[in-house]
Amino acid sequence: MSKRGGVKKQSFIGIIADEDTVTGFLLAGIGESDVQNGENWLVITNKTPQQKIEDAFKKLTSRDDVTILLLSQQAANEIRHLLDAYDQMLPTILEIPTPAHPYDMEKDSTMHRINRLLGAQ
């Protein structure tokens, strides 16, 4: 939990990924759904419109109770332009592999930023 203004506030992890990955994280206890903020997850498929992924990303990154946002690399590739422009500290964005789409470091925006900061090419 974070402490802002002397009041403890609960923090959540958001996730945008395929059904198996989201289900696993929900079973692990990261799921949150309420009337005001809605869910902190989005299940995507190959048929999910890019606009829906973009809207979920914008909504989750604008919530002050989401401190980490997990994105499958499949979802990240769909909204790469938003990730490249994203410059906030919180929520921290992490690209994760899924069973159907293994992790590719060459496509990870965060790894590109880290490599630039370290002077690696």
Side-chain angles (χ1 to χ4, degrees):
M1 288 200 231
S2 64
K3 193 170 184 178
R4 297 179 187 168
V7 177
K8 288 186 178 182
K9 185 170 182 167
Q10 193 167 13
S11 297
F12 298 103
I13 297 172
I15 184 166
I16 301 174
D18 64 281
E19 184 175 17
D20 290 341
T21 304
V22 170
T23 300
F25 278 97
L26 293 178
L27 288 170
I30 74 158
E32 174 67 18
S33 179
D34 65 38
V35 176
Q36 182 178 6
N37 291 320
E39 294 90 13
N40 63 331
W41 72 88
L42 173 68
V43 174
I44 64 165
T45 67
N46 291 336
K47 296 179 182 178
T48 303
Q50 180 180 350
Q51 188 62 50
K52 187 171 184 176
I53 300 170
E54 289 178 5
D55 291 345
F57 177 82
K58 290 174 185 175
K59 181 179 178 183
L60 290 170
T61 55
S62 67
R63 286 178 53 172
D64 66 350
D65 62 345
V66 174
T67 55
I68 298 172
L69 179 55
L70 303 174
L71 282 174
S72 69
Q73 202 161 51
Q74 174 190 10
N77 289 337
E78 292 289 323
I79 60 167
R80 187 65 59 198
H81 61 285
L82 292 177
L83 293 174
D84 290 341
Y86 185 78
D87 63 354
Q88 303 301 309
M89 181 73 76
L90 293 175
T92 300
I93 309 297
L94 297 173
E95 292 184 34
I96 60 172
T98 61
H101 297 89
Y103 178 74
D104 181 0
M105 189 175 8
E106 294 298 319
K107 295 180 180 178
D108 189 334
S109 299
T110 304
M111 289 305 297
H112 285 274
R113 288 184 192 145
I114 291 170
N115 286 334
R116 276 196 309 266
L117 288 172
L118 295 176
Q121 295 297 334

